[in-house]
Amino acid sequence: MSNVNVEEPKSLFIAPVSKPAPGSVGKTGTWRHEKPVINEEKCVKCLLCWLYCPEDTILRREDDMVYVDYDYCKGCGICAKVCPVNAIDMVPEG
Amino acid sequence: MPVKLRDFPRTHFNMPGNAACPGCPETMGLRYVKMALGDKAVLVIPAGCSSVIQGISPKSGINFPILNIVFAAAASAAAGMKAGFEMLGRDDVQVVVWAGDGGTADIGLQAMSGAAERGDDIIYICVDNEAYMNTGIQRSGATPYGAWTTTTWTGKKEHKKNVPFIMIAHDVPYVATASVGYPQDFIEKLRKAATVKGFKYIHLHAPCPVGWRFDPGLTPEIAQLAVKTGMWPLFEYHNGKLKISSFSRLYRVKEKRVPLKEYLKLQGRFRHLKDSDVKILEEYIDRLWAWLDLLEKAPNPSGTARDLLGK
C-alpha cells in the first residue's frame, strides 16, 4: 500500500482569512457628528489624546505634535475630554 | 517599570476604520495589548463585540492574528494553540484570550477554570463591559446590582460575580484587575504577566457608552470614576501575594473615596436607582474592600493555609 501514489490535498484547513488593514468597514469618518480640531498653540504634547483615542486616528508628527485622521475619526470626543489644557474643540460637522 | 508614552513607535496599534461604536473601550483595550505585547501575541476571541469589531472580510479591524472560536471554548482553544506553538519550538509567542464578561463569567467559565487548573501558559483577559452588549444589552453574571439591561428592566437584583476572586481561589500565579481609564497601569500589568509562566488572568473594566447609556466621550472618565469610588479596585495577585495597585491605594480608606453618586449619575442604566439601592451598592463596596483587606494582610493566602494544616 505504501507505494501507492496518493496526491496530498493542497490544504486541509480551508478557512477564510482576513488580514489587518485600515478601513475594514469603510471610511468611518462619515459616522461623525462633531469633529475634533486641535489648537496647536495650546497643545503641550502630553500625548494623552493619542493614548486614549480608541480608533488610532490621533497621529503623531516627528515633534510629537498630534493631528487627526479625519478619514476614520468617528467623533466620539474622548480626545477633547481627556485633554488637560482643553486644546481640542469639538466642532459640529457642516 | 513606568510606561513612557514618548518611547512608543509611531505605528498603528489598532486598525482605524473598524466596526466598533464611537468611544468603544474594547478598541482602547486592544491598543494597549498591542502596546504591551507587540507583534508576538496571538489572540483567541470567543463570540462577542470583538468578533464584530473586526469588520468585513478580507480586511480585519484588529491588528493581531486572531482565532475566532465558539463562546464556551476560548480558554481550551488557547491551551491547544499554546501546546501547538510549544511543539513547533515557538516559545516566544504569547497566546492571549480576549473574552467578554459573558464569555468569562458565564459561558466560558468552565473552560477557563479547566485551563487554570492545568496551568496552561496563556494570558486570559476578560474585558468586562458588564452585560452582553453585542446581542443587545442582556444581563450577565458580571452586571452590577441595580443596573438596567434589556432583560432586567427594573434593575438587576443580584450583585456582580467576582471573577478575579474565583481565579485567586484557583491558585494561579498571576491575577490582576485593570481599567481602560488607567492605560499605563494596564500596560505594566500585561508586561509583567508576559514574564510569568503559567495561567495569567487580567480583568479589564471597560465602560460601554451604548449599554451603560452615557456620552461616548466619557469612557475614560467613567472608568476612572469606577476606581475612585472604590467600585472597581485595582489590584495585583502575584505568587500568592496580593497588592493594591498605586492608582487604587488612596481609596482603601472609605472617607477618601469619591461619593458613589458621582459615578452613578453619569450613567443612564442607573437612572432609576433609589437611595436605598445606592446604599446596597455602597455596602457591596465595603464588603469588597474588606475581602481585599483580608487577602492583603495574609502574607501568602495559600501558604498560610498550608501552615495552618501543618500545625
Side-chain angles (χ1 to χ4, degrees):
Chain A
M1 284 294 280
S2 61
N3 52 14
V4 178
N5 193 6
V6 180
E7 198 180 310
E8 211 172 291
K10 288 278 182 298
S11 172
L12 283 170
F13 306 101
I14 302 164
V17 175
S18 301
K19 296 248 168 72
S24 57
V25 288
K27 297 251 194 263
T28 48
T30 53
W31 297 10
R32 209 165 51 226
H33 293 296
E34 288 179 316
K35 69 172 180 184
V37 177
I38 293 161
N39 186 339
E40 297 198 1
E41 280 165 20
K42 278 193 194 169
C43 177
V44 292
K45 301 179 184 176
C46 67
L47 297 181
L48 279 183
C49 53
W50 168 84
L51 179 68
Y52 281 104
C53 176
E55 278 303 300
D56 225 318
T57 49
I58 302 251
L59 305 169
R60 287 155 66 195
R61 292 205 191 111
E62 279 307 305
D63 61 345
D64 273 342
M65 181 55 80
V66 288
Y67 63 104
V68 184
D69 181 354
Y70 289 114
D71 279 353
Y72 296 116
C73 171
K74 290 170 185 166
C76 62
I78 285 179
C79 48
K81 290 257 171 39
V82 298
C83 183
V85 291
N86 295 324
I88 302 177
D89 297 316
M90 296 304 287
V91 180
E93 287 277 347
Chain B
M1 199 179 69
V3 178
K4 281 196 188 128
L5 297 187
R6 273 168 216 286
D7 296 347
F8 284 106
R10 290 170 175 77
T11 54
H12 276 309
F13 292 102
N14 195 27
M15 284 299 160
N18 54 49
C21 312
C24 179
E26 298 207 1
T27 43
M28 286 169 79
L30 284 163
R31 283 188 75 210
Y32 308 143
V33 176
K34 189 79 179 177
M35 285 179 190
L37 303 177
D39 296 332
K40 295 287 183 204
V42 179
L43 290 197
V44 177
I45 297 185
C49 281
S50 306
S51 342
V52 178
I53 288 170
Q54 292 160 38
I56 303 158
S57 175
K59 291 177 176 176
S60 165
I62 298 177
N63 200 2
F64 279 107
I66 298 168
L67 172 70
N68 287 296
I69 196 81
V70 293
F71 233 140
S76 30
M81 192 190 266
K82 181 71 194 174
F85 277 124
E86 270 169 20
M87 290 293 281
L88 293 171
R90 295 287 307 273
D91 287 336
D92 54 333
V93 181
Q94 278 292 343
V95 179
V96 180
V97 181
W98 177 266
D101 55 303
T104 306
D106 300 344
I107 304 171
L109 189 65
Q110 37 76 22
M112 180 175 68
S113 176
E117 183 261 328
R118 292 189 301 269
D120 288 316
D121 189 13
I122 56 173
I123 300 178
Y124 196 109
I125 303 171
C126 166
V127 48
D128 182 4
N129 49 24
E130 303 192 329
Y132 289 84
M133 296 307 175
N134 181 39
T135 47
I137 324 172
Q138 287 88 359
R139 130 202 224 284
S140 81
T143 308
Y145 176 86
W148 165 91
T149 64
T150 48
T151 47
T152 55
W153 56 94
T154 54
K156 196 187 167 194
K157 294 281 175 285
E158 301 82 18
H159 281 295
K160 184 183 174 81
K161 187 191 280 188
N162 203 329
V163 187
F165 282 7
I166 297 177
M167 294 323 285
I168 287 176
H170 279 69
D171 211 5
V172 293
Y174 191 82
V175 178
T177 57
S179 165
V180 292
Y182 296 98
Q184 291 99 327
D185 177 68
F186 180 43
I187 292 171
E188 258 180 79
K189 281 170 177 165
L190 272 169
R191 283 184 177 162
K192 187 166 180 188
T195 62
V196 178
K197 189 141 179 64
F199 190 90
K200 285 87 67 177
Y201 179 80
I202 299 177
H203 200 111
L204 178 70
H205 195 235
C208 168
V210 177
W212 297 18
R213 299 285 190 248
F214 63 81
D215 177 346
L218 291 172
T219 308
E221 196 183 325
I222 288 189
Q224 286 165 4
L225 271 172
V227 173
K228 286 175 184 167
T229 52
M231 190 89 175
W232 187 250
L234 299 177
F235 63 84
E236 201 176 24
Y237 175 87
H238 185 210
N239 282 339
K241 182 91 189 85
L242 189 132
K243 208 176 114 202
I244 309 281
S245 303
S246 54
F247 288 110
S248 231
R249 220 166 277 161
L250 180 66
Y251 311 109
R252 202 190 267 147
V253 187
K254 198 179 170 185
E255 289 71 37
K256 289 274 167 65
R257 287 176 209 153
V258 175
L260 186 61
K261 277 193 175 157
E262 298 288 311
Y263 172 64
L264 302 179
K265 77 179 181 196
L266 288 172
Q267 303 171 42
R269 63 173 181 161
F270 288 122
R271 198 164 37 192
H272 58 275
L273 281 201
K274 296 184 200 77
D275 281 348
S276 56
D277 293 324
V278 177
K279 209 161 181 173
I280 291 173
L281 272 172
E282 278 169 344
E283 278 165 12
Y284 163 80
I285 293 174
D286 290 345
R287 265 207 312 284
L288 191 64
W289 280 90
W291 261 107
L292 282 174
D293 225 32
L294 271 175
L295 284 170
E296 199 186 16
K297 275 183 188 137
N300 180 345
S302 48
T304 320
R306 277 183 215 121
D307 288 349
L308 281 173
L309 281 175
K311 282 169 201 166

